[in-house]
Amino acid sequence: MIEVSREKFEELVAEALDTIPTNLTSAMSNIVVTVVDDPPEPHLLGLYTGVPLTERGDWYSAVLPDRIEIYRNPICQICDTEEDVVKEVRITVVHEVGHHFGIDDARLHELGW
């Protein structure tokens, strides 16, 4: 386990988001990414809540933003070094962004995310 300050962890999440290609981030719509210390369920590292882009239709308007939460404490608990945290944050961020694009867990795991 390693301790990473909330401020530093938020920077790592921002840096992970910056690694996503611009053509993908420009397609992201009505979404907020936040850092939360603890998940609602044990063992979660991140969580996407919302309506994936692939499921939005004409009915989709005036809705609250989708939400990606990245959980600081569980990620820090499974990591031994700051480099491990950087890697796990990136994996988790990309995984949850994948859900925003409508990609399910099985396919994300096949792709290494």
Side-chain angles (χ1 to χ4, degrees):
M1 178 177 172
I2 185 170
E3 183 63 34
V4 176
S5 73
R6 183 171 183 103
E7 181 179 320
K8 176 64 177 173
F9 195 89
E10 288 173 351
E11 289 174 13
L12 295 176
V13 169
E15 290 169 5
L17 285 166
D18 287 344
T19 68
I20 297 172
T22 306
N23 62 329
L24 293 178
T25 56
S26 64
M28 293 172 65
S29 173
N30 198 31
I31 187 163
V32 63
V33 179
T34 61
V35 170
V36 178
D37 285 338
D38 296 303
E41 302 175 23
H43 309 297
L44 282 179
L45 304 180
L47 182 65
Y48 169 76
T49 306
V51 179
L53 295 174
T54 54
E55 296 178 18
R56 296 179 184 180
D58 294 338
W59 59 269
Y60 187 86
S61 67
V63 297
L64 292 173
D66 290 7
R67 185 176 182 95
I68 291 176
E69 294 180 341
I70 307 299
Y71 301 115
R72 184 174 68 94
N73 288 334
I75 289 176
C76 291
Q77 287 172 353
I78 66 168
C79 295
D80 294 321
T81 67
E82 189 169 319
E83 292 79 24
D84 292 342
V85 174
V86 170
K87 180 179 176 185
E88 196 59 53
V89 164
R90 182 159 192 273
I91 290 169
T92 304
V93 166
V94 170
H95 181 98
E96 301 309 329
V97 167
H99 287 313
H100 180 64
F101 283 95
I103 305 171
D104 66 17
D105 278 326
R107 182 65 179 138
L108 286 165
H109 288 290
E110 285 176 17
L111 296 169
W113 302 107

